[in-house]
Amino acid sequence: MALRYDQTVPLARVLASYHNLAKPFKRYQTQPVWRGESPQKGRYREFLQCDADIVGASSPLADAEILNLVLNIYQNLGLNITIKINDRINFEGLEKKYVAAIDKLEKIGESGVLSEMVQKGMVEKEAQEALKTLQNKPLTANLQQILDHLKQMGTDMEKIKYEPTLARGLDYYTGMIFETVAEGSTGSICSGGRWDNLIGNFTGQNLPAVGFGLGFDRTVEVLKEQGILLETSSSASVLVTIFSPTYLANSLKVAEKLRANNINTELWLDADSKLDKQLKYADQKSIPYVVIIGPDEATSGKIALKDLTLKSQVLLSFPEVVDKLSNSR
Amino acid sequence: MALRYDQTVPLARVLASYHNLAKPFKRYQTQPVWRGESPQKGRYREFLQCDADIVGASSPLADAEILNLVLNIYQNLGLNITIKINDRINFEGLEKKYVAAIDKLEKIGESGVLSEMVQKGMVEKEAQEALKTLQNKPLTANLQQILDHLKQMGTDMEKIKYEPTLARGLDYYTGMIFETVAEGSTGSICSGGRWDNLIGNFTGQNLPAVGFGLGFDRTVEVLKEQGILLETSSSASVLVTIFSPTYLANSLKVAEKLRANNINTELWLDADSKLDKQLKYADQKSIPYVVIIGPDEATSGKIALKDLTLKSQVLLSFPEVVDKLSNSR
């Protein structure tokens, strides 16, 4: 038995099996994947990976479309991000072991990178020169073209930052590469690039590809940190209480009608509980409102709506209750 | 390493670990689970299970709430279903091996059930009597109460059918049990019931529970069979073509504006392709509309919208295009 460790190899196998898929072939895929990593915050053994790729398009327009998609996703989530981009061609002529050292620049600093390069066999002066040359590399024609397309799409170009020392996984990407960082947080939450050779290994047929993997769990962690995603102990807007067995039917009817009006409604589930117990439960679950239908309410055809935050109670008609609750969340 | 085979034992473990969760504790959970079954249609080794349970409520009102939820889910999906219900108390005094035989009634018929009961040790006449007695058992007080609550909630009672020979898994449920069948299809797509003893095995603390597991894959299969869920080769409403490199920027801008207007838009990804190739792609992917912006359109500020089904083409303003495409799907 084996556990899926990515969604890219499965994609390559699909393309190897179905030769006549219309190209460019685009797909997104969201599934759990597994890694043997040590678990920590936002880093689990099992995690949800959201991939999107375009296969069969070698134009920089496809790269721009992928970056534009990442920007749109995070804009829709309300998260302020920066995408760091680079081009693999910048590392041409530099041995993999040195590129791996340079990729650690942010973690271990320049002196750390240089000493690792020296340790791996480069003369110190050469290492300094190689790093400096890399750091000063101008935008490649390919990246310039991608950025031009993004501008034409109306992208906020401040969200994109050229970083000539960014390397990422070394056996995989062939052109543009990128990482996404969120404001006020460290580590990449979405990364990818162009990978033109992998599918060919499976299919024999050469198929260019560009895409990304978005870390769902890490993205959720950041959304929580930024207070964009709130953790509440209940998603219900209101608890419909049961006054006594006599008024049970009234409560059931009102609960169903509230749900039909798209109010997230919790119903108390015991006809014999004291009202105090029900109110305590709503409080414990942070449910903001409580509906009470007792003898007075049943006679008047009105509903008592208790606001647990303000500790106030009003007598309302059903449409007034719907109105109040619709505007409360 | 072990793969998750259900979501009930994990739920029981959560309740064993967190004693002070407010009760009733309700949760839903959607995750892949794995079974060693032979794969067939709607029956995979890995499948998506959607569970919902209420823990800590022993009242028949909780059972009614769970059934009501199942009815609402399938009503929202537009699927015509029947829920078969029974009460475990109906099998009291009957050995498990005989109940297992009776549970096969729909599959192997009365004669099949009787011969299995005889094979397992019962005298033929007794087996006939036991089966007949069971088939004629009236609704239990518990089921009657649950049905009364459903009526009070406004449920369409024709969707629920009492079936005193329904047994389900034998080591698990303690009260009401149910299975959901879809019109025009066989096999249960959602099943559950009351399981009051399982959590106690983990916690020591006795906690009643009622809930269900909905088979996502089987439900999707039925939705496809009934033509409710359509499989298309593309979800895009329109392909924005690229007339030539000169008009690329116009196309990119229009594609982005269409997306900003919630139109599912595909963009052609090569500035040098012939229009014919682009139209062929749209056709292959069943994309119904194509946008063309060439020299005439760029000059007039209009957009050519081609309807690939009707093979017609009109020149429209941007808002007219949005209007047309918004109403087309």
Side-chain angles (χ1 to χ4, degrees):
Chain A
M1 188 174 65
L3 294 177
R4 183 171 45 235
Y5 59 91
D6 81 354
Q7 301 184 109
T8 309
V9 173
L11 168 62
R13 291 183 59 197
V14 165
L15 284 152
S17 306
Y18 302 95
H19 285 283
N20 53 355
L21 282 171
K23 310 281 180 330
F25 175 74
K26 299 171 180 183
R27 78 92 177 72
Y28 67 86
Q29 190 170 352
T30 302
Q31 278 189 134
V33 297
W34 288 263
R35 294 258 169 83
E37 296 176 345
S38 313
Q40 58 186 88
K41 195 180 75 168
R43 205 175 179 87
Y44 309 119
R45 289 241 168 81
E46 176 186 345
F47 55 96
L48 203 60
Q49 186 85 356
C50 315
D51 280 21
D53 293 275
I54 301 172
V55 177
S58 58
S59 140
L61 198 44
D63 301 68
E65 179 89 328
I66 285 292
L67 293 170
N68 187 37
L69 178 56
V70 174
L71 289 166
N72 280 331
I73 288 170
Y74 285 104
Q75 193 187 317
N76 287 340
L77 288 172
L79 205 58
N80 205 359
I81 55 144
T82 303
I83 300 184
K84 302 178 191 173
I85 63 166
N86 193 18
D87 193 325
R88 265 301 165 83
I89 209 175
N90 280 338
F91 297 114
E92 228 174 31
L94 207 59
E95 277 183 72
K96 266 189 192 177
K97 56 184 181 184
Y98 302 126
V99 178
I102 291 169
D103 193 37
K104 295 183 191 161
L105 186 61
E106 208 166 292
K107 263 190 201 155
I108 59 176
E110 274 190 32
S111 61
V113 168
L114 290 174
S115 75
E116 194 177 316
M117 287 172 87
V118 169
Q119 212 175 17
K120 283 177 173 172
M122 209 181 258
V123 177
E124 176 137 24
K125 220 188 148 200
E126 276 177 41
Q128 285 174 335
E129 234 163 84
L131 180 59
K132 205 178 168 192
T133 306
L134 191 62
Q135 285 175 316
N136 292 312
K137 285 236 172 171
L139 270 177
T140 62
N142 174 40
L143 286 183
Q144 188 58 63
Q145 183 84 70
I146 295 169
L147 295 181
D148 284 349
H149 287 320
L150 283 168
K151 253 180 245 166
Q152 290 165 325
M153 289 171 180
T155 302
D156 174 3
M157 299 309 287
E158 286 190 5
K159 297 220 172 298
I160 297 173
K161 193 184 150 205
Y162 173 51
E163 197 162 297
T165 55
L166 177 74
R168 297 201 49 73
L170 290 170
D171 300 310
Y172 196 77
Y173 296 109
T174 57
M176 180 272 288
I177 49 175
F178 73 93
E179 278 188 4
T180 309
V181 290
E183 191 186 36
S185 192
T186 54
S188 172
I189 51 176
C190 177
S191 59
R194 180 163 281 284
W195 46 289
D196 281 352
N197 298 332
L198 184 66
I199 298 179
N201 295 344
F202 287 84
T203 60
Q205 182 195 12
N206 202 34
L207 272 178
V210 58
F212 64 80
L214 182 155
F216 183 85
D217 307 284
R218 289 190 187 190
T219 297
V220 166
E221 285 294 335
V222 174
L223 288 171
K224 282 180 186 168
E225 271 168 31
Q226 310 266 327
I228 294 168
L229 195 70
L230 298 176
E231 284 184 282
T232 56
S233 50
S234 173
S235 56
S237 303
V238 61
L239 171 72
V240 174
T241 61
I242 298 174
F243 190 86
S244 75
T246 316
Y247 301 99
L248 170 65
N250 302 61
S251 286
L252 295 194
K253 216 170 290 169
V254 166
E256 269 311 288
K257 279 171 70 187
L258 285 172
R259 287 170 178 170
N261 279 278
N262 288 318
I263 308 285
N264 194 332
T265 304
E266 185 153 348
L267 173 70
W268 185 252
L269 292 173
D270 184 354
D272 299 309
S273 302
K274 293 221 165 97
L275 202 56
D276 266 5
K277 188 179 173 187
Q278 305 180 45
L279 294 176
K280 201 181 144 199
Y281 171 80
D283 218 46
Q284 237 181 319
K285 296 279 299 280
S286 307
I287 302 173
Y289 288 95
V290 155
V291 151
I292 303 167
I293 305 166
D296 297 348
E297 291 82 9
T299 311
S300 67
K302 296 253 175 174
I303 292 166
L305 185 69
K306 202 176 173 72
D307 182 329
L308 290 182
T309 320
L310 302 177
K311 316 245 178 239
S312 62
Q313 185 170 324
V314 280
L315 211 59
L316 300 172
S317 69
F318 181 78
E320 286 168 335
V321 171
V322 170
D323 211 46
K324 183 97 181 168
L325 294 175
S326 300
N327 296 324
S328 77
R329 282 222 174 179
Chain B
M1 189 174 65
L3 294 177
R4 184 173 44 235
Y5 60 90
D6 82 353
Q7 301 184 112
T8 309
V9 173
L11 169 63
R13 291 184 59 195
V14 165
L15 285 151
S17 306
Y18 302 94
H19 285 285
N20 53 354
L21 282 171
K23 312 280 182 328
F25 175 74
K26 301 171 179 182
R27 79 91 177 75
Y28 67 86
Q29 190 170 354
T30 301
Q31 278 190 133
V33 297
W34 288 263
R35 294 260 168 81
E37 295 176 344
S38 312
Q40 58 186 85
K41 196 180 75 168
R43 205 174 179 87
Y44 309 118
R45 289 240 168 82
E46 175 185 348
F47 55 97
L48 203 59
Q49 186 86 355
C50 316
D51 280 21
D53 293 275
I54 301 171
V55 177
S58 58
S59 138
L61 197 45
D63 300 68
E65 179 89 326
I66 284 292
L67 292 170
N68 187 39
L69 178 56
V70 174
L71 289 165
N72 279 332
I73 288 170
Y74 283 104
Q75 193 188 317
N76 287 340
L77 288 172
L79 206 58
N80 206 358
I81 55 145
T82 303
I83 300 183
K84 302 179 191 174
I85 62 166
N86 194 17
D87 193 324
R88 265 300 166 81
I89 211 176
N90 280 338
F91 296 116
E92 225 174 33
L94 207 57
E95 276 183 72
K96 266 187 192 179
K97 57 184 181 184
Y98 301 127
V99 178
I102 291 169
D103 193 38
K104 296 183 191 161
L105 186 61
E106 209 165 292
K107 263 191 200 155
I108 60 176
E110 275 191 31
S111 62
V113 168
L114 290 173
S115 77
E116 193 177 317
M117 289 174 84
V118 169
Q119 212 176 14
K120 281 178 174 172
M122 208 181 258
V123 177
E124 175 136 23
K125 220 185 150 205
E126 276 179 40
Q128 285 173 337
E129 232 163 85
L131 180 59
K132 206 178 166 189
T133 306
L134 191 60
Q135 286 174 316
N136 292 314
K137 284 235 173 169
L139 271 177
T140 62
N142 174 40
L143 286 183
Q144 189 57 64
Q145 183 82 68
I146 295 169
L147 295 180
D148 284 349
H149 287 320
L150 283 168
K151 252 181 245 166
Q152 289 166 325
M153 289 171 180
T155 301
D156 174 3
M157 300 309 286
E158 286 191 5
K159 298 223 171 295
I160 297 173
K161 194 184 149 206
Y162 171 53
E163 197 162 295
T165 56
L166 177 74
R168 298 201 48 73
L170 291 169
D171 300 309
Y172 198 75
Y173 294 110
T174 56
M176 180 271 289
I177 49 174
F178 72 93
E179 279 188 2
T180 309
V181 290
E183 191 185 37
S185 192
T186 54
S188 172
I189 50 176
C190 178
S191 57
R194 181 164 281 284
W195 47 289
D196 282 350
N197 297 333
L198 184 66
I199 298 178
N201 295 345
F202 287 82
T203 60
Q205 180 195 14
N206 202 34
L207 272 178
V210 58
F212 64 80
L214 181 155
F216 182 85
D217 307 284
R218 287 190 188 189
T219 297
V220 166
E221 284 294 336
V222 173
L223 288 172
K224 283 180 186 170
E225 273 169 29
Q226 310 265 326
I228 295 168
L229 194 69
L230 298 176
E231 284 184 281
T232 57
S233 48
S234 172
S235 55
S237 303
V238 61
L239 172 71
V240 174
T241 62
I242 298 175
F243 190 85
S244 75
T246 316
Y247 302 99
L248 171 64
N250 304 62
S251 286
L252 294 194
K253 216 170 291 169
V254 165
E256 268 312 287
K257 278 172 70 186
L258 285 171
R259 286 171 178 168
N261 278 277
N262 288 318
I263 308 285
N264 194 334
T265 303
E266 186 153 350
L267 173 70
W268 185 252
L269 293 172
D270 184 354
D272 299 309
S273 302
K274 292 221 166 96
L275 201 57
D276 266 4
K277 189 181 173 186
Q278 304 180 46
L279 294 175
K280 201 182 144 198
Y281 171 80
D283 218 47
Q284 237 182 319
K285 295 279 299 282
S286 307
I287 303 175
Y289 287 95
V290 156
V291 152
I292 303 167
I293 306 166
D296 298 349
E297 292 82 8
T299 312
S300 67
K302 297 252 174 175
I303 291 166
L305 186 69
K306 203 176 171 73
D307 182 329
L308 291 181
T309 321
L310 302 176
K311 317 244 178 240
S312 62
Q313 186 171 323
V314 282
L315 211 60
L316 302 172
S317 69
F318 180 78
E320 287 169 335
V321 172
V322 170
D323 209 47
K324 183 97 181 168
L325 295 175
S326 300
N327 296 323
S328 78
R329 281 223 172 175

